[in-house]
């Protein structure tokens, strides 16, 4: 075999995430496939590039040397592709490239952007990793990226990005079965969920670390399941798990959404843009603020929380951008 850019990209993803599982999710491949690919690369080079430890993968001295040469090559190839795609887009008509982590505001945001930019091709790239989206924006592969930053777990913000805060502190609620004993209260004390199984997606940047810190601060150590939130929904509905959720989440007949007393778990919502796109950035921010307000006021539990807080979201949305600190 010969080393290719895809091999170098895989090595960088493993180093960046510290985990074969997380790297596979980022690259859109299965973990066994990535493991096999890494083994072939190491066999070709003649020595291990990563030490497999209980807590993840750590580059060996050889791995660090290879990565120091691989990163610039991957960066140059990423820039080449981004520039070529941008040139092709200009020839084929205007394109707005949007990246986002999961959000209930996304559908409304896209609707408003389509109305604002008729004739523009809107492309959407979803990713569980906010850091991956930020890297794409910095490399020119995305025009704007809407991401969340878990409190206490700062994102790796590339230099040069324009960053604005949409919501400085959005509380994370909890989703639980509709017949859960705690579902009858207007808000839930986290200690009342000490014996429930909590489910969290560890591939979402900062999610597991943030939840673990909050549980420890509450003095509880409940069993934790790792998995995606689509799977979590089916387990929550039958009482097999509880999970953190966005406050804009809409309850179902078999699932309740409640705020946590004291709001111990929170995220910061950020809109980021490649440099030199000020007019586009202003428009995207304005439409995102309006879409988020619509989603927030449409979620009963969150609307009541906002009323108790006297939130400015209850007034017409203020599109004034707030720079990130």
């Amino acid at each position: 075999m010969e080393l290719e850019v895809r091999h170098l990209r895989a090595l960088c993803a493993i180093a960046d995430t510290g985990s074969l599982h997380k790297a596979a999710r980022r690259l859109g491949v299965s973990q066994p496939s990535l493991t096999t690919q890494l083994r072939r690369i190491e066999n070709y080079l003649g020595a291990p590039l990563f030490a497999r430890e209980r807590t993840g993968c750590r580059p060996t001295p050889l791995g660090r040397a290879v990565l120091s040469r691989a990163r610039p090559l991957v960066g140059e190839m990423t820039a080449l592709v981004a520039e070529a795609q941008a040139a092709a887009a200009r020839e084929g008509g205007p394109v707005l490239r949007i990246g986002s982590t999961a959000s209930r505001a996304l559908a409304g945001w896209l609707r408003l952007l389509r109305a604002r930019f008729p004739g523009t091709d809107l492309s959407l790239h979803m990713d569980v990793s906010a850091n991956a989206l930020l890297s794409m924006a910095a490399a020119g592969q995305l025009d704007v990226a809407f991401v969340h930053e878990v409190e206490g777990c700062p994102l790796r913000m590339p230099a040069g990005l324009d960053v604005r805060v949409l919501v400085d502190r959005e509380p994370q609620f909890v989703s639980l079965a509709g017949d859960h004993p705690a579902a009858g209260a207007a808000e839930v004390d986290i200690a009342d969920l000490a014996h429930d199984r909590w489910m969290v997606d560890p591939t979402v940047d900062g999610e597991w670390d943030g939840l673990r810190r909050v549980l420890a601060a509450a003095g509880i150590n409940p069993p934790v399941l790792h998995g995606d939130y689509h799977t979590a929904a089916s387990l929550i509905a039958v009482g097999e798990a509880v999970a953190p959720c966005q406050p804009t989440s809409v309850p179902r007949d078999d699932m309740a959404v409640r705020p946590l007393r004291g709001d111990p778990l929170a995220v910061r919502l950020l809109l980021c843009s490649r440099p030199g796109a000020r007019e586009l950035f202003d428009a995207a921010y304005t439409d995102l603020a309006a879409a988020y307000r619509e989603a927030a006021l449409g979620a009963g539990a969150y609307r009541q929380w906002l009323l108790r807080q006297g939130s400015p979201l209850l007034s017409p949305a203020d599109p004034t951008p707030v720079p990130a600190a």
Side-chain angles (χ1 to χ4, degrees):
M1 69 173 273
E2 290 187 359
L3 283 183
E4 302 174 13
V5 174
R6 63 188 178 92
H7 297 138
L8 303 182
R9 187 173 288 114
L11 296 178
C12 292
I14 296 169
D16 289 343
T17 63
S19 159
L20 283 166
H21 176 66
K22 291 182 180 180
R25 285 286 295 271
R26 174 180 292 190
L27 296 167
V29 301
S30 68
Q31 182 174 334
S33 173
L34 182 59
T35 301
T36 299
Q37 186 178 75
L38 175 59
R39 189 179 301 117
R40 288 174 178 167
I41 295 170
E42 291 178 326
N43 288 341
Y44 177 72
L45 295 178
L49 300 179
F50 292 91
R52 280 68 154 183
E53 301 175 344
R54 187 177 59 83
T55 55
C57 294
R58 178 174 51 82
T60 62
L62 175 62
R64 289 194 292 272
V66 171
L67 286 164
S68 69
R69 301 294 296 273
R71 291 190 190 280
L73 294 174
V74 171
E76 285 297 318
M77 180 58 70
T78 299
L80 184 154
V81 171
E83 291 168 7
Q85 289 176 337
R90 286 193 294 271
E91 293 180 3
V95 176
L96 176 55
R97 300 163 300 170
I98 299 167
S100 180
T101 51
S103 172
R104 299 280 177 176
L106 186 56
W109 187 32
L110 293 178
R111 184 185 72 246
L112 293 173
L113 287 173
R114 290 189 191 282
R116 182 186 290 271
F117 299 112
T120 297
D121 181 17
L122 267 61
S123 69
L124 175 63
H125 180 88
M126 299 291 297
D127 202 307
V128 296
S129 171
N131 283 311
L133 293 172
L134 295 175
S135 295
M136 292 179 69
Q141 294 175 292
L142 295 173
D143 295 306
V144 291
F146 177 37
V147 299
H148 70 271
E149 179 181 64
V150 177
E151 193 169 66
C153 303
L155 295 172
R156 298 189 299 273
M157 191 63 64
L161 281 184
D162 288 331
V163 183
R164 296 174 191 168
V165 178
L166 179 72
V167 177
D168 191 57
R169 193 174 194 272
E170 180 195 68
Q172 297 301 280
F173 286 6
V174 64
S175 55
L176 57 166
D179 59 358
H180 191 289
E187 60 179 10
V188 177
D189 194 309
I190 199 168
D192 294 337
L193 306 175
H195 301 295
D196 287 278
R197 296 183 186 87
W198 283 76
M199 193 158 188
V200 65
D201 187 343
T203 65
V204 179
D205 294 332
E207 204 96 328
W208 171 220
D209 288 339
L211 177 61
R212 180 168 48 189
R213 184 163 41 249
V214 167
L215 295 175
I220 62 176
N221 185 27
V224 176
L225 305 175
H226 288 174
D228 65 271
Y229 288 123
H230 292 293
T231 303
S234 60
L235 296 178
I236 293 166
V238 296
E240 286 295 320
V242 300
C245 67
Q246 297 175 21
T248 49
S249 299
V250 178
R252 309 182 332 198
D253 290 341
D254 56 0
M255 189 183 304
V257 174
R258 297 288 184 269
L260 289 167
R261 183 171 292 119
D263 307 316
L265 191 62
V267 303
R268 187 166 66 145
L269 303 183
L270 305 171
L271 184 65
C272 307
S273 172
R274 60 180 174 80
R278 179 60 183 271
E279 186 175 347
L280 168 65
F281 198 14
D282 289 345
Y285 183 93
T286 298
D287 288 349
L288 179 56
Y292 182 83
R293 178 176 182 272
E294 180 182 28
L297 299 185
Y302 194 22
R303 186 172 62 250
Q304 293 303 314
W305 185 92
L306 292 168
L307 281 168
R308 292 194 297 272
Q309 301 295 319
S311 170
L313 275 175
L314 298 172
S315 304
D318 177 6
T320 304
V322 179

